[in-house]
Amino acid sequence: GAVVSQHPSWVICKSGTSVKIECRSLDFQATTMFWYRQFPKQSLMLMATSNEGSKATYEQGVEKDKFLINHASLTLSTLTVTSAHPEDSSFYICSASGQGARTGELFFGEGSRLTVL
Amino acid sequence: RKEVEQDPGPFNVPEGATVAFNCTYSNSASQSFFWYRQDCRKEPKLLMSVYSSGNEDGRFTAQLNRASQYISLLIRDSKLSDSATYLCVVNIGGADGLTFGKGTHLIIQP
């Protein structure tokens, strides 16, 4: 099946620093990529949707200047958490849908666990 | 009312038993439905799609009741490896219309 690789799996950083998370589709062209955040014992919450070559669409309440999303190619999307604070500590997961995928069939990355000290 | 609602559990079930749980959705225009499985600290993985006629995949059976706006997942002959969180996912239309439930935590006990 389709594979989505996310990196890094774990990251610990100091408050105020920026962290970049990469999401790559390894064997298909991801026309749309989604970024989710999941706090402990909570559901996945969609942060933003990005289409290759265009600006991301952010969900209400998600600061676009804090969570920078770049989807420069059909195989790579990045999420940068700028000036991270402890409340940004969470599990960030990307997912992708590609050409030919059934509606609703998403391929998830392994997730990135961010801890901000 | 939440868009997609699930009983969070946990459901503690002995190995070999049958377990079923439901998921209700509020938007009657919802078009497609899925069950995802998420292991602790892992990404969700598609378990099965849910079709109007109901569908079965081995020990797993999924059903959709549009009139009452719920979907169900039945697991027969449960295995220890079935322990996970099962996420109900509803698509109200379009690639960005996915809504996730909070998940139902299932624990299969030996």
Side-chain angles (χ1 to χ4, degrees), chain B residues 1-5 24-27 30 90 92 97 99-100:
Chain B
R1 183 181 172 185
K2 297 177 183 176
E3 291 187 42
V4 177
E5 226 165 328
T24 58
Y25 60 94
S26 61
N27 192 328
S30 299
V90 175
I92 62 173
T99 303
F100 285 79

Side-chain angles (χ1 to χ4, degrees), chain B residues 23-38:
Chain B
C23 163
T24 58
Y25 60 94
S26 61
N27 192 328
S28 60
S30 299
Q31 297 181 2
S32 48
F33 311 85
F34 307 86
W35 284 104
Y36 277 75
R37 170 192 169 134
Q38 186 176 23

